[in-house]
Amino acid sequence: MLKRFGAGVVVTGCGSSAPVARLDNEGLSQIVETSDEWIASRTGIRNRHIAIAQETVQSLATEASQKALEMAGVAPEEVDLIILATSTPDDLFGTACQIQTALDASKAVAFDLTAACSGFVFGMVTAAQFIRTGTYRTILLIGADVLSRWTDWSDRRTCVLFGDGAGAVVLQASDTTDALLGFELRSDGSLNGCLNLAYQSESKSLNGEVSVETGTFHPITMNGQEVYRFAVRRVPEVIEKALFWADMTVEQVDWLLLHQANQRILDAVGDRLKIPHHKIISNMAKYGNTSAASIPLALDEWVRAGKIQPGQVIASAGFGAGLTWGSAIFRWGQSAE
């Protein structure tokens, strides 16, 4: 019989990290045929951070994690589990264990989770199950991606969108409260071709009878119009479903925190849900689309600016490759008991 620590999940700390180097729209216009006006009017993005050789998923995730642990007042040796949501690991065998070592979180189990831009929301729901079953008490959830590695910088349809970064939160068990109020996760593989970072190979003969497929991953491809239509239609639905499970109404939501893909998507989802624009969190103008990092990176910025207050309700939603999408409704900043 597992010892049950408590059925409640609380979010006690957050942190973020971004590369030092920045590439603004003006600089991008010197690489491909585009302009600041064209990019900003269609996406809301004006700047993105780009990792240099010394900056990796591991280094960015470690810095974000250290800040989150410090805010939560949790020592690395108290962490039971590390979940890294990423689509761009430093090592295809996994990067979470590298973060565990870098943090000196010697007790923690660590693994990668891949759900693209939905990864952080999928990771939060996954972490909550470990806590609610009493398996683990303290979990470090990280979203980190270095998309610049896999961007075709000659394709102006995609290269204007992506940036690099990391964000992290600390989730802890509580015997008296539960901050994860409701969630809903979805996938539709029939739409997989809309957004890909695909492996491409060619045959290589080993001995005349046996051949292998060798190759590498090729840059990101995306059908932007289809992804936009999908997000505007499906994201409001999944948020409403998560609110239903939480037994809450849209009016009880203090902040709408979506994956930072496109400002027009954020505005359209807010309009469909009748959420005022001043409640919509957006920092994509500074960071672009950082995939699994975008939600925790924006959360950390709003918390540290004093905008998000303890106890406030956040409706979060991720959406992206797979295609995957999901929503988690949670309260920010309640203390672990």
Side-chain angles (χ1 to χ4, degrees):
M1 177 71 68
L2 288 171
K3 180 181 178 182
R4 190 171 182 83
F5 292 117
V9 180
V10 289
V11 188
T12 58
C14 61
S16 63
S17 176
V20 174
R22 300 183 184 186
L23 179 62
D24 62 16
N25 291 346
E26 185 62 33
L28 199 52
S29 70
Q30 300 172 28
I31 301 172
V32 293
E33 185 179 350
T34 189
S35 68
D36 176 66
E37 190 279 331
W38 190 91
I39 298 170
S41 63
R42 287 163 175 78
T43 69
I45 299 168
R46 292 189 178 276
N47 190 60
R48 68 280 299 147
H49 292 246
I50 304 297
I52 60 174
Q54 295 81 9
E55 293 171 315
T56 63
V57 169
Q58 180 264 308
S59 67
L60 294 170
T62 298
E63 182 178 355
S65 299
Q66 289 168 334
K67 293 176 181 177
L69 291 169
E70 181 181 6
M71 180 184 290
V74 172
E77 58 268 23
E78 296 178 75
V79 177
D80 300 306
L81 173 64
I82 298 171
I83 300 176
L84 170 65
T86 187
S87 301
T88 58
D90 298 329
D91 185 327
L92 279 180
F93 288 157
T95 299
C97 289
Q98 298 176 23
I99 298 167
Q100 179 222 33
T101 297
L103 291 172
D104 198 23
S106 57
K107 191 178 74 171
V109 178
F111 63 83
D112 290 18
L113 180 153
T114 301
C117 302
S118 304
F120 185 80
V121 171
F122 277 45
M124 176 174 279
V125 173
T126 300
Q129 309 319 304
F130 282 105
I131 291 175
R132 286 175 168 172
T133 58
T135 307
Y136 298 122
R137 188 171 186 83
T138 300
I139 298 178
L140 177 63
L141 170 62
I142 311 159
D145 273 299
V146 178
L147 292 170
S148 61
R149 293 172 175 169
W150 303 106
T151 298
D152 181 353
W153 292 99
S154 66
D155 179 7
R156 74 168 188 167
R157 297 169 300 176
T158 57
C159 74
V160 302
L161 301 174
F162 301 113
D164 304 331
V169 297
V170 177
L171 304 173
Q172 293 183 271
S174 171
D175 295 324
T176 60
T177 188
D178 195 348
L180 181 58
L181 307 172
F183 66 85
E184 182 78 7
L185 305 180
R186 300 284 181 88
S187 300
D188 185 353
S190 69
L191 299 174
N192 178 263
C194 294
L195 181 53
N196 299 103
L197 203 172
Y199 180 81
Q200 295 184 17
S201 64
E202 58 183 37
S203 294
K204 178 181 179 181
S205 176
L206 295 182
N207 62 6
E209 297 180 358
V210 178
S211 63
V212 294
E213 298 296 313
T214 62
T216 187
F217 292 92
H218 281 229
I220 298 166
T221 60
M222 182 174 67
N223 183 328
Q225 291 183 341
E226 285 299 320
V227 171
Y228 177 85
R229 283 194 286 265
F230 147 75
V232 170
R233 183 176 70 255
R234 296 302 186 191
V235 173
E237 292 175 357
V238 81
I239 292 173
E240 289 177 332
K241 190 67 172 181
L243 286 169
F244 170 80
W245 293 125
D247 194 22
M248 299 181 72
T249 65
V250 170
E251 289 72 26
Q252 293 173 280
V253 172
D254 295 298
W255 298 100
L256 178 64
L257 176 53
L258 304 182
H259 163 52
Q260 306 287 293
N262 186 304
Q263 187 63 46
R264 292 189 299 167
I265 293 176
L266 270 63
D267 293 339
V269 171
D271 289 343
R272 293 202 177 194
L273 292 171
K274 295 182 172 56
I275 293 178
H277 284 204
H278 71 268
K279 290 187 175 183
I280 301 175
I281 296 173
S282 175
N283 69 351
M284 73 180 66
K286 296 189 289 185
Y287 297 99
N289 180 342
T290 57
S291 192
S294 74
I295 290 176
L297 202 159
L299 172 69
D300 185 55
E301 181 174 340
W302 252 243
V303 168
R304 292 180 187 273
K307 297 177 182 179
I308 296 176
Q309 294 296 310
Q312 288 188 325
V313 175
I314 299 170
S316 65
F319 51 91
L323 294 178
T324 60
W325 65 107
S327 175
I329 314 299
F330 66 96
R331 291 188 188 277
W332 162 253
Q334 293 171 295
S335 299
E337 300 292 339

